[in-house]
């Protein structure tokens, strides 16, 4: 359960950051269109909800890491991996092997997905002016997809 919670929070962190950056890039896009003469005027309304979500999730993740640090500090035989990875269970002998396999699988998946996403940018040559949302959200989806691939591979390997 802790792994699901951590992956969801980390994914939401990337999504909220992408939304915050998107608002900034959208305004820059409008200024560029105005400068080039494609539009005569524009209006933008930017809310602070994405920023608040980002701050709240960051605080929750920090609190979770501090709690995990304090819990692991009690265990005198704990290793650095026990502090870093929420799914790592020092009492389970298979944990190192399972985590390693899941990380390798997620890494391969991220490399393949990144290649496909970045390659897709050449099909939208004017993406900054016309489709500013596409590169912003597809780039932000790379770590999210990696986290989801890690979660699925960890759960599949762990259930064996």
């Amino acid at each position: 359960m802790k792994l699901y919670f951590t992956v969801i929070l980390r994914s939401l962190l990337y999504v909220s950051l992408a939304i915050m950056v998107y608002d900034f890039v959208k305004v820059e896009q409008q200024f560029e269109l105005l400068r080039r003469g494609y539009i005569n005027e524009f209006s933008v309304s930017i809310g602070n909800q994405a920023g608040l979500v980002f701050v709240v999730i960051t605080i929750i993740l920090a609190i979770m890491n501090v709690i995990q640090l304090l819990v692991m500090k009690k265990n005198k035989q704990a290793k650095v991996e026990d502090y870093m990875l929420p799914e790592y269970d020092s009492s389970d002998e298979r944990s190192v092997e399972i985590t390693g396999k899941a990380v390798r699988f997620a890494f391969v998946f991220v490399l393949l997905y990144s290649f496909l996403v970045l390659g897709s940018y050449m099909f939208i040559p004017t993406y900054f002016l016309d489709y500013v949302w596409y590169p912003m959200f597809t780039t932000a989806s790379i770590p999210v997809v990696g986290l989801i691939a890690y979660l699925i591979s960890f759960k599949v390997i762990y259930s064996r």
Side-chain angles (χ1 to χ4, degrees):
M1 188 64 181
K2 189 167 46 170
L3 180 60
Y4 288 114
F5 190 65
T6 303
V7 167
I8 289 170
L9 282 177
R10 288 178 183 169
S11 298
L12 286 174
L13 189 66
Y14 284 113
V15 169
S16 63
L17 181 61
I19 291 171
M20 282 187 345
V21 172
Y22 173 74
D23 285 343
F24 174 77
V25 172
K26 185 70 175 167
V27 171
E28 289 295 319
Q29 174 200 32
Q30 295 299 314
F31 276 120
E32 186 65 26
L33 289 171
L34 185 67
R35 186 179 69 78
R36 291 185 182 187
Y38 293 126
I39 59 174
N40 294 329
E41 61 183 29
F42 69 92
S43 65
V44 177
S45 91
I46 298 176
N48 61 354
Q49 293 85 2
L52 292 174
V53 169
F54 180 79
V55 169
V56 168
I57 293 172
T58 303
I59 290 170
I60 291 171
L61 279 171
I63 290 170
M64 274 183 46
N65 287 336
V66 168
I67 290 171
Q68 183 177 357
L69 179 70
L70 294 174
V71 168
M72 287 295 151
K73 200 73 160 164
K74 292 178 183 177
N75 185 357
K76 299 297 181 192
Q77 269 102 40
K79 298 177 185 173
V80 175
E81 294 89 1
D82 296 343
Y83 297 111
M84 303 297 269
L85 302 170
E87 68 281 356
Y88 190 82
D89 183 11
S90 58
S91 64
D92 188 1
E93 296 173 1
R94 303 178 309 146
S95 188
V96 174
E97 182 182 340
I98 292 170
T99 302
K101 285 180 182 178
V103 167
R104 285 191 294 275
F105 180 76
F107 183 70
V108 168
F109 197 79
V110 164
L111 287 178
L112 179 64
Y113 183 74
S114 309
F115 179 76
L116 295 173
V117 164
L118 294 175
S120 73
Y121 291 170
M122 71 180 153
F123 296 110
I124 305 174
T126 59
Y127 64 86
F128 181 71
L129 294 178
D130 298 328
Y131 307 104
V132 70
W133 56 268
Y134 182 76
M136 185 68 52
F137 292 116
T138 54
T139 304
S141 74
I142 293 171
V144 172
V145 166
L147 285 167
I148 292 170
Y150 174 73
L151 172 69
I152 292 170
S153 62
F154 184 86
K155 289 299 179 179
V156 166
I157 295 169
Y158 191 75
S159 66
R160 288 184 184 175

mmCIF file of all heavy atoms in Angstrom, residues 67-105:
data_model
loop_
_atom_site.group_PDB
_atom_site.id
_atom_site.type_symbol
_atom_site.label_atom_id
_atom_site.label_comp_id
_atom_site.label_asym_id
_atom_site.label_seq_id
_atom_site.Cartn_x
_atom_site.Cartn_y
_atom_site.Cartn_z
ATOM 1 N N ILE A 67 9.295 10.476 8.248
ATOM 2 C CA ILE A 67 8.741 9.375 9.053
ATOM 3 C C ILE A 67 9.461 8.076 8.733
ATOM 4 O O ILE A 67 9.829 7.319 9.637
ATOM 5 C CB ILE A 67 7.221 9.251 8.819
ATOM 6 C CG1 ILE A 67 6.489 10.445 9.430
ATOM 7 C CG2 ILE A 67 6.696 7.946 9.388
ATOM 8 C CD1 ILE A 67 5.024 10.536 9.065
ATOM 9 N N GLN A 68 9.687 7.825 7.445
ATOM 10 C CA GLN A 68 10.403 6.604 7.054
ATOM 11 C C GLN A 68 11.824 6.621 7.598
ATOM 12 O O GLN A 68 12.335 5.598 8.058
ATOM 13 C CB GLN A 68 10.425 6.473 5.536
ATOM 14 C CG GLN A 68 11.084 5.205 5.063
ATOM 15 C CD GLN A 68 11.018 5.065 3.559
ATOM 16 O OE1 GLN A 68 10.440 5.887 2.876
ATOM 17 N NE2 GLN A 68 11.621 4.021 3.056
ATOM 18 N N LEU A 69 12.465 7.770 7.584
ATOM 19 C CA LEU A 69 13.813 7.898 8.129
ATOM 20 C C LEU A 69 13.828 7.590 9.620
ATOM 21 O O LEU A 69 14.701 6.862 10.114
ATOM 22 C CB LEU A 69 14.353 9.308 7.871
ATOM 23 C CG LEU A 69 15.739 9.614 8.396
ATOM 24 C CD1 LEU A 69 16.774 8.844 7.595
ATOM 25 C CD2 LEU A 69 16.003 11.094 8.340
ATOM 26 N N LEU A 70 12.845 8.102 10.359
ATOM 27 C CA LEU A 70 12.779 7.854 11.797
ATOM 28 C C LEU A 70 12.487 6.389 12.108
ATOM 29 O O LEU A 70 13.060 5.820 13.046
ATOM 30 C CB LEU A 70 11.721 8.754 12.437
ATOM 31 C CG LEU A 70 12.027 10.257 12.408
ATOM 32 C CD1 LEU A 70 10.849 11.049 12.935
ATOM 33 C CD2 LEU A 70 13.294 10.570 13.179
ATOM 34 N N VAL A 71 11.612 5.766 11.329
ATOM 35 C CA VAL A 71 11.297 4.354 11.534
ATOM 36 C C VAL A 71 12.518 3.494 11.238
ATOM 37 O O VAL A 71 12.839 2.562 11.985
ATOM 38 C CB VAL A 71 10.098 3.932 10.663
ATOM 39 C CG1 VAL A 71 9.938 2.431 10.633
ATOM 40 C CG2 VAL A 71 8.825 4.602 11.156
ATOM 41 N N MET A 72 13.219 3.797 10.163
ATOM 42 C CA MET A 72 14.399 3.015 9.792
ATOM 43 C C MET A 72 15.568 3.272 10.737
ATOM 44 O O MET A 72 16.433 2.422 10.901
ATOM 45 C CB MET A 72 14.833 3.343 8.357
ATOM 46 C CG MET A 72 13.918 2.783 7.330
ATOM 47 S SD MET A 72 13.977 0.994 7.373
ATOM 48 C CE MET A 72 12.362 0.594 6.805
ATOM 49 N N LYS A 73 15.607 4.435 11.347
ATOM 50 C CA LYS A 73 16.693 4.776 12.273
ATOM 51 C C LYS A 73 16.689 3.845 13.482
ATOM 52 O O LYS A 73 17.738 3.569 14.062
ATOM 53 C CB LYS A 73 16.543 6.230 12.708
ATOM 54 C CG LYS A 73 17.776 6.848 13.238
ATOM 55 C CD LYS A 73 18.728 7.104 12.109
ATOM 56 C CE LYS A 73 19.735 8.150 12.544
ATOM 57 N NZ LYS A 73 20.867 8.161 11.672
ATOM 58 N N LYS A 74 15.507 3.349 13.857
ATOM 59 C CA LYS A 74 15.394 2.432 14.992
ATOM 60 C C LYS A 74 16.059 1.088 14.702
ATOM 61 O O LYS A 74 16.539 0.429 15.597
ATOM 62 C CB LYS A 74 13.922 2.213 15.347
ATOM 63 C CG LYS A 74 13.263 3.440 15.906
ATOM 64 C CD LYS A 74 11.807 3.173 16.198
ATOM 65 C CE LYS A 74 11.129 4.430 16.688
ATOM 66 N NZ LYS A 74 9.699 4.223 16.907
ATOM 67 N N ASN A 75 16.049 0.697 13.419
ATOM 68 C CA ASN A 75 16.655 -0.563 13.014
ATOM 69 C C ASN A 75 18.157 -0.350 12.832
ATOM 70 O O ASN A 75 18.589 0.337 11.921
ATOM 71 C CB ASN A 75 16.020 -1.045 11.707
ATOM 72 C CG ASN A 75 16.525 -2.401 11.285
ATOM 73 O OD1 ASN A 75 17.393 -2.988 11.915
ATOM 74 N ND2 ASN A 75 15.980 -2.901 10.190
ATOM 75 N N LYS A 76 18.959 -0.941 13.680
ATOM 76 C CA LYS A 76 20.406 -0.721 13.655
ATOM 77 C C LYS A 76 21.072 -1.393 12.456
ATOM 78 O O LYS A 76 22.147 -1.015 12.055
ATOM 79 C CB LYS A 76 21.052 -1.245 14.953
ATOM 80 C CG LYS A 76 20.550 -0.562 16.194
ATOM 81 C CD LYS A 76 20.896 0.908 16.177
ATOM 82 C CE LYS A 76 20.389 1.547 17.461
ATOM 83 N NZ LYS A 76 20.422 2.974 17.407
ATOM 84 N N GLN A 77 20.437 -2.420 11.882
ATOM 85 C CA GLN A 77 21.012 -3.096 10.737
ATOM 86 C C GLN A 77 20.518 -2.529 9.408
ATOM 87 O O GLN A 77 20.796 -3.100 8.358
ATOM 88 C CB GLN A 77 20.679 -4.595 10.771
ATOM 89 C CG GLN A 77 21.721 -5.413 11.495
ATOM 90 C CD GLN A 77 21.267 -5.776 12.891
ATOM 91 O OE1 GLN A 77 20.129 -6.099 13.080
ATOM 92 N NE2 GLN A 77 22.162 -5.710 13.842
ATOM 93 N N ALA A 78 19.815 -1.452 9.434
ATOM 94 C CA ALA A 78 19.261 -0.886 8.207
ATOM 95 C C ALA A 78 20.373 -0.356 7.312
ATOM 96 O O ALA A 78 21.381 0.160 7.781
ATOM 97 C CB ALA A 78 18.291 0.237 8.542
ATOM 98 N N LYS A 79 20.165 -0.509 6.007
ATOM 99 C CA LYS A 79 21.118 -0.027 5.017
ATOM 100 C C LYS A 79 20.554 1.240 4.386
ATOM 101 O O LYS A 79 19.414 1.621 4.634
ATOM 102 C CB LYS A 79 21.329 -1.098 3.943
ATOM 103 C CG LYS A 79 21.914 -2.371 4.491
ATOM 104 C CD LYS A 79 22.018 -3.402 3.388
ATOM 105 C CE LYS A 79 22.489 -4.717 3.964
ATOM 106 N NZ LYS A 79 22.448 -5.788 2.974
ATOM 107 N N VAL A 80 21.358 1.855 3.545
ATOM 108 C CA VAL A 80 20.942 3.092 2.884
ATOM 109 C C VAL A 80 19.696 2.856 2.032
ATOM 110 O O VAL A 80 18.814 3.709 1.955
ATOM 111 C CB VAL A 80 22.100 3.637 2.008
ATOM 112 C CG1 VAL A 80 21.650 4.845 1.213
ATOM 113 C CG2 VAL A 80 23.296 3.980 2.860
ATOM 114 N N GLU A 81 19.591 1.682 1.397
ATOM 115 C CA GLU A 81 18.435 1.377 0.564
ATOM 116 C C GLU A 81 17.132 1.410 1.369
ATOM 117 O O GLU A 81 16.079 1.722 0.848
ATOM 118 C CB GLU A 81 18.582 0.002 -0.105
ATOM 119 C CG GLU A 81 19.701 -0.064 -1.114
ATOM 120 C CD GLU A 81 21.032 -0.461 -0.482
ATOM 121 O OE1 GLU A 81 21.092 -0.701 0.739
ATOM 122 O OE2 GLU A 81 22.026 -0.504 -1.220
ATOM 123 N N ASP A 82 17.240 1.062 2.652
ATOM 124 C CA ASP A 82 16.048 1.075 3.496
ATOM 125 C C ASP A 82 15.490 2.485 3.644
ATOM 126 O O ASP A 82 14.291 2.677 3.785
ATOM 127 C CB ASP A 82 16.374 0.529 4.895
ATOM 128 C CG ASP A 82 16.793 -0.921 4.855
ATOM 129 O OD1 ASP A 82 16.533 -1.581 3.832
ATOM 130 O OD2 ASP A 82 17.386 -1.396 5.837
ATOM 131 N N TYR A 83 16.367 3.462 3.617
ATOM 132 C CA TYR A 83 15.936 4.847 3.760
ATOM 133 C C TYR A 83 15.390 5.416 2.447
ATOM 134 O O TYR A 83 14.502 6.239 2.437
ATOM 135 C CB TYR A 83 17.101 5.733 4.197
ATOM 136 C CG TYR A 83 17.664 5.379 5.545
ATOM 137 C CD1 TYR A 83 18.929 4.818 5.658
ATOM 138 C CD2 TYR A 83 16.948 5.607 6.699
ATOM 139 C CE1 TYR A 83 19.456 4.503 6.892
ATOM 140 C CE2 TYR A 83 17.463 5.276 7.947
ATOM 141 C CZ TYR A 83 18.725 4.730 8.025
ATOM 142 O OH TYR A 83 19.241 4.416 9.242
ATOM 143 N N MET A 84 15.959 4.973 1.334
ATOM 144 C CA MET A 84 15.678 5.592 0.044
ATOM 145 C C MET A 84 14.405 5.080 -0.622
ATOM 146 O O MET A 84 13.688 5.841 -1.244
ATOM 147 C CB MET A 84 16.851 5.362 -0.918
ATOM 148 C CG MET A 84 18.159 5.889 -0.375
ATOM 149 S SD MET A 84 18.127 7.646 -0.141
ATOM 150 C CE MET A 84 18.723 8.156 -1.716
ATOM 151 N N LEU A 85 14.151 3.796 -0.539
ATOM 152 C CA LEU A 85 13.060 3.205 -1.294
ATOM 153 C C LEU A 85 11.916 2.809 -0.367
ATOM 154 O O LEU A 85 12.111 2.003 0.536
ATOM 155 C CB LEU A 85 13.561 1.968 -2.061
ATOM 156 C CG LEU A 85 14.718 2.220 -3.020
ATOM 157 C CD1 LEU A 85 15.272 0.915 -3.534
ATOM 158 C CD2 LEU A 85 14.275 3.098 -4.174
ATOM 159 N N PRO A 86 10.728 3.319 -0.597
ATOM 160 C CA PRO A 86 9.618 3.019 0.303
ATOM 161 C C PRO A 86 9.166 1.566 0.258
ATOM 162 O O PRO A 86 8.608 1.058 1.202
ATOM 163 C CB PRO A 86 8.507 3.949 -0.166
ATOM 164 C CG PRO A 86 8.840 4.243 -1.579
ATOM 165 C CD PRO A 86 10.339 4.215 -1.673
ATOM 166 N N GLU A 87 9.430 0.906 -0.861
ATOM 167 C CA GLU A 87 8.975 -0.470 -0.976
ATOM 168 C C GLU A 87 9.996 -1.467 -0.457
ATOM 169 O O GLU A 87 9.718 -2.643 -0.343
ATOM 170 C CB GLU A 87 8.644 -0.788 -2.437
ATOM 171 C CG GLU A 87 9.845 -0.819 -3.349
ATOM 172 C CD GLU A 87 10.323 0.559 -3.754
ATOM 173 O OE1 GLU A 87 9.692 1.561 -3.403
ATOM 174 O OE2 GLU A 87 11.354 0.633 -4.424
ATOM 175 N N TYR A 88 11.166 -0.988 -0.166
ATOM 176 C CA TYR A 88 12.237 -1.870 0.288
ATOM 177 C C TYR A 88 11.965 -2.312 1.719
ATOM 178 O O TYR A 88 11.800 -1.509 2.615
ATOM 179 C CB TYR A 88 13.575 -1.126 0.202
ATOM 180 C CG TYR A 88 14.767 -1.996 0.422
ATOM 181 C CD1 TYR A 88 15.283 -2.760 -0.603
ATOM 182 C CD2 TYR A 88 15.382 -2.056 1.659
ATOM 183 C CE1 TYR A 88 16.385 -3.566 -0.417
ATOM 184 C CE2 TYR A 88 16.476 -2.855 1.867
ATOM 185 C CZ TYR A 88 16.979 -3.604 0.825
ATOM 186 O OH TYR A 88 18.068 -4.393 1.019
ATOM 187 N N ASP A 89 11.930 -3.603 1.911
ATOM 188 C CA ASP A 89 11.658 -4.175 3.227
ATOM 189 C C ASP A 89 12.903 -4.933 3.679
ATOM 190 O O ASP A 89 13.263 -5.949 3.091
ATOM 191 C CB ASP A 89 10.452 -5.113 3.146
ATOM 192 C CG ASP A 89 10.059 -5.681 4.491
ATOM 193 O OD1 ASP A 89 10.590 -5.196 5.516
ATOM 194 O OD2 ASP A 89 9.220 -6.589 4.514
ATOM 195 N N SER A 90 13.561 -4.429 4.689
ATOM 196 C CA SER A 90 14.814 -5.040 5.133
ATOM 197 C C SER A 90 14.605 -6.422 5.734
ATOM 198 O O SER A 90 15.545 -7.202 5.827
ATOM 199 C CB SER A 90 15.520 -4.128 6.137
ATOM 200 O OG SER A 90 14.678 -3.876 7.240
ATOM 201 N N SER A 91 13.386 -6.753 6.122
ATOM 202 C CA SER A 91 13.127 -8.074 6.684
ATOM 203 C C SER A 91 12.915 -9.132 5.598
ATOM 204 O O SER A 91 12.976 -10.317 5.867
ATOM 205 C CB SER A 91 11.903 -8.026 7.601
ATOM 206 O OG SER A 91 10.758 -7.689 6.849
ATOM 207 N N ASP A 92 12.675 -8.713 4.361
ATOM 208 C CA ASP A 92 12.447 -9.635 3.253
ATOM 209 C C ASP A 92 13.763 -9.852 2.514
ATOM 210 O O ASP A 92 14.353 -8.905 1.995
ATOM 211 C CB ASP A 92 11.391 -9.064 2.312
ATOM 212 C CG ASP A 92 10.965 -10.053 1.234
ATOM 213 O OD1 ASP A 92 11.474 -11.196 1.236
ATOM 214 O OD2 ASP A 92 10.130 -9.671 0.399
ATOM 215 N N GLU A 93 14.204 -11.097 2.437
ATOM 216 C CA GLU A 93 15.468 -11.403 1.786
ATOM 217 C C GLU A 93 15.406 -11.210 0.274
ATOM 218 O O GLU A 93 16.407 -10.934 -0.362
ATOM 219 C CB GLU A 93 15.881 -12.839 2.106
ATOM 220 C CG GLU A 93 16.160 -13.077 3.567
ATOM 221 C CD GLU A 93 16.406 -14.544 3.877
ATOM 222 O OE1 GLU A 93 16.375 -15.366 2.944
ATOM 223 O OE2 GLU A 93 16.635 -14.850 5.055
ATOM 224 N N ARG A 94 14.239 -11.359 -0.306
ATOM 225 C CA ARG A 94 14.091 -11.215 -1.750
ATOM 226 C C ARG A 94 13.976 -9.763 -2.185
ATOM 227 O O ARG A 94 13.991 -9.476 -3.371
ATOM 228 C CB ARG A 94 12.838 -11.952 -2.232
ATOM 229 C CG ARG A 94 12.783 -13.397 -1.889
ATOM 230 C CD ARG A 94 11.491 -14.040 -2.364
ATOM 231 N NE ARG A 94 10.317 -13.282 -1.940
ATOM 232 C CZ ARG A 94 9.203 -13.162 -2.656
ATOM 233 N NH1 ARG A 94 9.105 -13.756 -3.810
ATOM 234 N NH2 ARG A 94 8.182 -12.466 -2.197
ATOM 235 N N SER A 95 13.900 -8.851 -1.259
ATOM 236 C CA SER A 95 13.613 -7.452 -1.575
ATOM 237 C C SER A 95 14.652 -6.827 -2.502
ATOM 238 O O SER A 95 14.303 -6.087 -3.415
ATOM 239 C CB SER A 95 13.492 -6.650 -0.292
ATOM 240 O OG SER A 95 13.053 -5.359 -0.567
ATOM 241 N N VAL A 96 15.916 -7.104 -2.265
ATOM 242 C CA VAL A 96 16.967 -6.515 -3.102
ATOM 243 C C VAL A 96 16.826 -7.004 -4.543
ATOM 244 O O VAL A 96 16.879 -6.222 -5.489
ATOM 245 C CB VAL A 96 18.361 -6.870 -2.544
ATOM 246 C CG1 VAL A 96 19.454 -6.382 -3.479
ATOM 247 C CG2 VAL A 96 18.549 -6.286 -1.162
ATOM 248 N N GLU A 97 16.612 -8.287 -4.724
ATOM 249 C CA GLU A 97 16.474 -8.864 -6.059
ATOM 250 C C GLU A 97 15.225 -8.342 -6.760
ATOM 251 O O GLU A 97 15.257 -7.977 -7.937
ATOM 252 C CB GLU A 97 16.425 -10.385 -5.954
ATOM 253 C CG GLU A 97 16.337 -11.081 -7.282
ATOM 254 C CD GLU A 97 16.233 -12.594 -7.131
ATOM 255 O OE1 GLU A 97 16.588 -13.124 -6.067
ATOM 256 O OE2 GLU A 97 15.769 -13.220 -8.090
ATOM 257 N N ILE A 98 14.118 -8.288 -6.042
ATOM 258 C CA ILE A 98 12.854 -7.823 -6.624
ATOM 259 C C ILE A 98 12.957 -6.357 -7.033
ATOM 260 O O ILE A 98 12.557 -5.972 -8.136
ATOM 261 C CB ILE A 98 11.691 -8.032 -5.632
ATOM 262 C CG1 ILE A 98 11.428 -9.520 -5.449
ATOM 263 C CG2 ILE A 98 10.439 -7.318 -6.106
ATOM 264 C CD1 ILE A 98 10.481 -9.841 -4.318
ATOM 265 N N THR A 99 13.514 -5.540 -6.151
ATOM 266 C CA THR A 99 13.665 -4.117 -6.450
ATOM 267 C C THR A 99 14.579 -3.916 -7.647
ATOM 268 O O THR A 99 14.293 -3.101 -8.529
ATOM 269 C CB THR A 99 14.204 -3.365 -5.224
ATOM 270 O OG1 THR A 99 13.310 -3.564 -4.133
ATOM 271 C CG2 THR A 99 14.343 -1.883 -5.496
ATOM 272 N N GLY A 100 15.666 -4.649 -7.691
ATOM 273 C CA GLY A 100 16.600 -4.533 -8.816
ATOM 274 C C GLY A 100 15.959 -4.892 -10.140
ATOM 275 O O GLY A 100 16.136 -4.197 -11.148
ATOM 276 N N LYS A 101 15.217 -5.988 -10.171
ATOM 277 C CA LYS A 101 14.542 -6.392 -11.405
ATOM 278 C C LYS A 101 13.500 -5.364 -11.825
ATOM 279 O O LYS A 101 13.368 -5.038 -13.005
ATOM 280 C CB LYS A 101 13.878 -7.756 -11.228
ATOM 281 C CG LYS A 101 14.841 -8.913 -11.230
ATOM 282 C CD LYS A 101 14.096 -10.219 -11.056
ATOM 283 C CE LYS A 101 15.039 -11.401 -11.002
ATOM 284 N NZ LYS A 101 14.310 -12.669 -10.796
ATOM 285 N N ALA A 102 12.746 -4.860 -10.871
ATOM 286 C CA ALA A 102 11.708 -3.871 -11.182
ATOM 287 C C ALA A 102 12.325 -2.579 -11.707
ATOM 288 O O ALA A 102 11.807 -1.972 -12.655
ATOM 289 C CB ALA A 102 10.857 -3.593 -9.946
ATOM 290 N N VAL A 103 13.436 -2.165 -11.114
ATOM 291 C CA VAL A 103 14.107 -0.943 -11.575
ATOM 292 C C VAL A 103 14.645 -1.141 -12.991
ATOM 293 O O VAL A 103 14.523 -0.251 -13.838
ATOM 294 C CB VAL A 103 15.235 -0.542 -10.596
ATOM 295 C CG1 VAL A 103 16.144 0.509 -11.202
ATOM 296 C CG2 VAL A 103 14.650 -0.037 -9.293
ATOM 297 N N ARG A 104 15.235 -2.286 -13.263
ATOM 298 C CA ARG A 104 15.753 -2.542 -14.612
ATOM 299 C C ARG A 104 14.630 -2.544 -15.644
ATOM 300 O O ARG A 104 14.762 -1.969 -16.731
ATOM 301 C CB ARG A 104 16.526 -3.859 -14.639
ATOM 302 C CG ARG A 104 17.891 -3.765 -13.983
ATOM 303 C CD ARG A 104 18.732 -4.994 -14.246
ATOM 304 N NE ARG A 104 18.215 -6.205 -13.638
ATOM 305 C CZ ARG A 104 18.443 -6.590 -12.392
ATOM 306 N NH1 ARG A 104 19.174 -5.846 -11.598
ATOM 307 N NH2 ARG A 104 17.936 -7.726 -11.926
ATOM 308 N N PHE A 105 13.525 -3.187 -15.324
ATOM 309 C CA PHE A 105 12.395 -3.220 -16.247
ATOM 310 C C PHE A 105 11.861 -1.806 -16.494
ATOM 311 O O PHE A 105 11.601 -1.413 -17.633
ATOM 312 C CB PHE A 105 11.280 -4.116 -15.711
ATOM 313 C CG PHE A 105 10.093 -4.189 -16.616
ATOM 314 C CD1 PHE A 105 10.131 -4.945 -17.774
ATOM 315 C CD2 PHE A 105 8.939 -3.477 -16.326
ATOM 316 C CE1 PHE A 105 9.037 -4.998 -18.625
ATOM 317 C CE2 PHE A 105 7.852 -3.519 -17.166
ATOM 318 C CZ PHE A 105 7.889 -4.284 -18.324
#
